[in-house]
Amino acid sequence: MEMTEEQFTIIKQQIKDLVAIPDGFYAKKFDGIDVDAIQDQHDFEKLPFTDKGDLRASYPLGLAAVPPEKIVRIHSSSGTTGTPVIIPYTKKDVEDWAIQFARCFEYAGVTPSDRVQITPGYGLWTAGIGFQAGCERLGAMAIPMGPGNTDKQLQMMMDLHSTVLCATSSYALLLAEEIAKRGIGDKIDLRKGVIGSERWGEKMRKRISSELGVELYDIYGLTEVYGPGIGINCKADSAMHIWSDYCYLEIVDPATGEILPDGEVGEIVLTTLQKEGAPLIRFRTHDLSRIVPGDCECGSPYPRIDIITGRTDDMVKVKGVNMFPAQIEEVIAAVDGASSEYQLMIDHVNGRDVATLLVEVEPDANKYELERVIATEFKERIGLTPEVKPVDLEELPRSEKKTCRVFDNRY
Ligand code: ZN
């Protein structure tokens, strides 16, 4: 993607300011690099990446690019292992995040007359409060539920006539199933779902959308770069517009770090353009997507990325075959009678790797037949034959947070 002149000017000044901070994060990271020699996009692309490990090593506040009195809030990304990452925000950062989030709601067609039920978590985690700030900035009514307590969620949804549901895809699915089970669909006024922070397949999307009777929007973001709300899809398309006045976007080959041409799938790398508390240069998100070339028919000037295909670290290798969860979803989506939920278990038994795929199937499906069809489809698309075990609907766990579907039990 071509960097605009404005973006280049901002980035260059930002780098100069950052390396001038005594003992600052980038003063150390870019030590030995002549930043005055950065003359164009090509030079910028030679700068080293910033990775989550760098951020972790700066715990607690080593990332701060402003004096402590300018920091008004911190958030933290949940490291699955070891030290968490702490991201400091200034007053402007908090405001800028709300501006971006309000823009997301606008793109989703949310208006001040909407009532927005927010189910993502609050606290150190960036989700809930981001949804709320964006909603309030837009002027809609925020209903800050936070996660869990499905009975209360549904009661409030009915009593307050919530029109917009903000949730992870797995919690949206859980609520949709619960609404159907209780037969309360006619008391629900939802018209839109704003779904964040999880990669999800087309089949799941269709189920949530049809069971809840809502239009669905995918919101993108990560704690290290504000939080959710740095982009969303529009009414015209499923690809997400990224607010390029706040972030500069690159897609790189996760193995080599080389920039990939627009349209090719790789790792999303982000450079913040306006952040004060913790600006990031070429931050590796580990999210996989591609830049969607060309203009969107909605007329938006903001560039687009596709729905997140997966995480670079979700990739598993079994018998020499690389696979991503998104590919497994494609296999399941292609088979009639298979539902959207699955689990892939990888075990090491008697000296060899075994992949077992549990798939929820429709009640009237022929399980024996599906076993064969799914295994064949898997082999054709991914290059490996798993042991397929069809299970009944709702047999696999749903989660209020991110649902893990691939379990590598080999190590
Ligand atoms: Zn658009």
Side-chain angles (χ1 to χ4, degrees), residues 107 232-237 239 241 295-300 302 304:
Y107 264 58
I232 194 167
N233 69 300
C234 64
K235 217 178 161 70
D237 195 67
H241 290 281
D295 295 326
C296 183
E297 60 178 272
C298 76
S300 164
Y302 297 105
R304 288 173 297 161

Side-chain angles (χ1 to χ4, degrees), residues 259-281:
I259 305 277
L260 292 173
D262 291 359
E264 276 185 35
V265 173
E267 180 175 351
I268 301 172
V269 171
L270 296 170
T271 296
T272 62
L273 302 176
Q274 307 215 25
K275 243 179 164 220
E276 294 178 334
L280 290 174
I281 311 291

Side-chain angles (χ1 to χ4, degrees), residues 37 63 124 132 249 251 272 292:
L63 203 56
L124 279 174
Q132 176 159 350
L249 170 72
I251 301 286
T272 62
V292 178

Side-chain angles (χ1 to χ4, degrees), residues 15 25-26 28-35 38 43-51 54 250 257 269-271 280-284:
I15 293 172
F25 177 81
Y26 280 105
K28 287 183 270 183
K29 179 147 184 79
F30 288 174
D31 187 31
I33 295 173
D34 179 8
V35 298
I38 303 169
D43 295 335
F44 167 78
E45 289 168 354
K46 285 188 267 183
L47 286 172
F49 294 112
T50 303
D51 207 336
D54 299 328
E250 297 172 90
V269 171
L270 296 170
T271 296
L280 290 174
I281 311 291
R282 307 199 80 205
F283 179 68
R284 296 189 75 144

Side-chain angles (χ1 to χ4, degrees), residues 74 120 179 226 316 318:
I74 59 127
I179 288 167
Y226 296 102
V316 285
V318 183

